[in-house]
Amino acid sequence: MGLNADQLAAFEAVARLGSFTAAAAKLHLTQPALSRRIQSLEEQLGTSLLFRKPTGVELTQAGGRLLRFVESQALLESQLREDLGQSESAEPKGIVRVSGYTSLLHTVVTPCIGDFIRRHPKVGVHYQPTQDIRPVERQAELVLRAETDLLLTVSDFGNRDLVSHFIGDQQLIAVESSKHKVRQNVYLDTRPEDQTTAEFFKAQPGKTPQYDRSFIYDEDGILKAVFQGMGRAIVFRSLIKKGMPCRQVKGFKPFLWPLYLIYRRQAYYLPAVAGIRDSILKDAKRFLN
């Protein structure tokens, strides 16, 4: 027996809104009627789909898989309607959400996708920073919860519900001002949660040096502070351009940080998402260092 459309709609509403009350209001149902639809769906599938908590609703692993199925089904239906309608409507369109460290989004993603965006004016891109999401494994939740379409990150996560493409290694190097006297014992990070400097020194041979931290809260701001001699910083080599008043600090070896493009495993991808994804996979390696 096939899955009931009304039951799937009830499940999707609860999953997205995180509340039986809000979902019932959206679907113009009583809460008992909504609960019966969810219960019938769980009985048919033979598994729990939702955890009911005082603070709201949380998807089980099976619930997450079902939500991705519902989304894929909706995408397939949308594409079918477009293909059977006006042919020009198959042109890529819509907003594609790309998440990652802002420095990588600007230096790697932007030059990769510029041509695709110019050729498809109905496609837009929203960047979503991930600097504050720690540990890095939590970034996978953005993709699994469908809060982003594509994620540029330093871990492949090993999750069977995700597709992971190794893009290449990005080099992290220590830099200091070449114009001003440098406070050599001060290292600049974006914020207290930023572990870039700590990871860099962890990968160096020998004893980790003692240093103080200064927080600039912005990658571009860190470079400007380095130029002024306010401290040293650990940055992606790709950020350093010819003519900048800074130099690589001698005595430290570059730290290789692997980069992966992550997205959900599903049967169908919107043309806009697939186009941005393919553009990144094709050209990203050229902009790493």
Side-chain angles (χ1 to χ4, degrees):
M1 182 174 63
L3 297 175
N4 181 278
D6 289 337
Q7 293 173 356
L8 289 176
F11 164 75
E12 182 182 19
V14 174
R16 292 197 179 283
L17 298 175
S19 163
F20 274 77
T21 302
K26 178 182 178 180
L27 298 175
H28 304 290
L29 296 171
T30 63
Q31 286 195 49
L34 179 67
S35 295
R36 284 195 296 272
R37 290 187 182 184
I38 300 294
Q39 184 178 358
S40 296
L41 183 58
E42 290 178 325
E43 290 175 353
Q44 182 179 351
L45 294 174
T47 185
S48 296
L49 301 172
L50 304 164
F51 290 125
R52 296 158 177 82
K53 296 185 174 182
T55 55
V57 173
E58 181 178 325
L59 293 178
T60 64
Q61 183 176 7
R65 293 178 67 85
L66 180 61
L67 181 59
R68 290 189 287 279
F69 165 79
V70 172
E71 291 170 341
S72 297
Q73 187 181 51
L75 290 174
L76 285 169
E77 180 179 341
S78 175
Q79 187 64 37
L80 176 63
R81 289 179 181 275
E82 289 183 349
D83 291 345
L84 294 178
Q86 299 178 344
S87 59
E88 63 268 20
S89 64
E91 177 188 355
K93 61 183 178 181
I95 299 297
V96 181
R97 301 160 299 170
V98 186
S99 297
Y101 298 139
T102 52
S103 56
L104 293 176
L105 294 176
H106 296 319
T107 60
V108 177
V109 175
T110 296
C112 287
I113 67 175
D115 180 66
F116 181 82
I117 295 296
R118 290 191 296 272
R119 287 188 288 109
H120 302 288
K122 293 183 180 180
V123 176
V125 176
H126 285 175
Y127 285 166
Q128 301 175 165
T130 57
Q131 280 90 329
D132 292 337
I133 302 178
R134 300 285 179 175
V136 69
E137 287 73 21
R138 287 187 53 214
Q139 294 177 12
E141 298 173 9
L142 294 175
V143 189
L144 293 171
R145 294 197 302 259
E147 295 176 11
T148 193
D149 300 300
L150 302 167
L151 170 66
L152 196 63
T153 185
V154 297
S155 174
D156 67 358
F157 302 122
N159 189 309
R160 66 179 183 178
D161 292 327
L162 299 176
V163 179
S164 175
H165 290 280
F166 173 68
I167 292 177
D169 290 315
Q170 174 75 303
Q171 288 191 16
L172 284 166
I173 61 173
V175 295
E176 64 183 8
S177 175
S178 59
K179 183 178 179 181
H180 299 286
K181 183 178 179 180
V182 180
R183 297 195 297 170
Q184 297 184 3
N185 66 326
V186 174
Y187 279 80
L188 313 174
D189 285 315
T190 56
R191 50 186 57 79
E193 298 80 14
D194 184 354
Q195 295 300 304
T196 303
T197 300
E199 292 290 335
F200 178 84
F201 282 126
K202 189 186 300 183
Q204 299 298 317
K207 185 178 179 180
T208 299
Q210 295 293 318
Y211 61 92
D212 296 323
R213 302 178 74 194
S214 184
F215 306 116
I216 307 300
Y217 290 89
D218 177 80
E219 285 93 348
D220 183 60
I222 284 178
L223 278 180
K224 290 178 179 176
V226 166
F227 299 159
Q228 294 300 318
M230 292 171 58
R232 292 173 167 176
I234 310 303
V235 301
F236 292 119
R237 185 187 291 275
S238 58
L239 294 177
I240 306 303
K241 306 302 180 184
K242 186 177 180 180
M244 287 183 171
C246 66
R247 62 189 171 221
Q248 184 173 350
V249 179
K250 295 181 179 179
F252 297 120
K253 67 175 185 178
F255 172 44
L256 297 182
W257 211 341
L259 293 181
Y260 301 87
L261 185 67
I262 308 290
Y263 50 92
R264 286 184 302 158
R265 189 181 302 278
Q266 55 194 55
Y268 172 79
Y269 300 93
L270 286 174
V273 174
I276 295 293
R277 175 200 63 195
D278 294 344
S279 297
I280 295 172
L281 292 176
K282 178 181 177 227
D283 291 329
K285 197 167 185 177
R286 294 197 296 126
F287 301 103
L288 290 183
N289 297 300

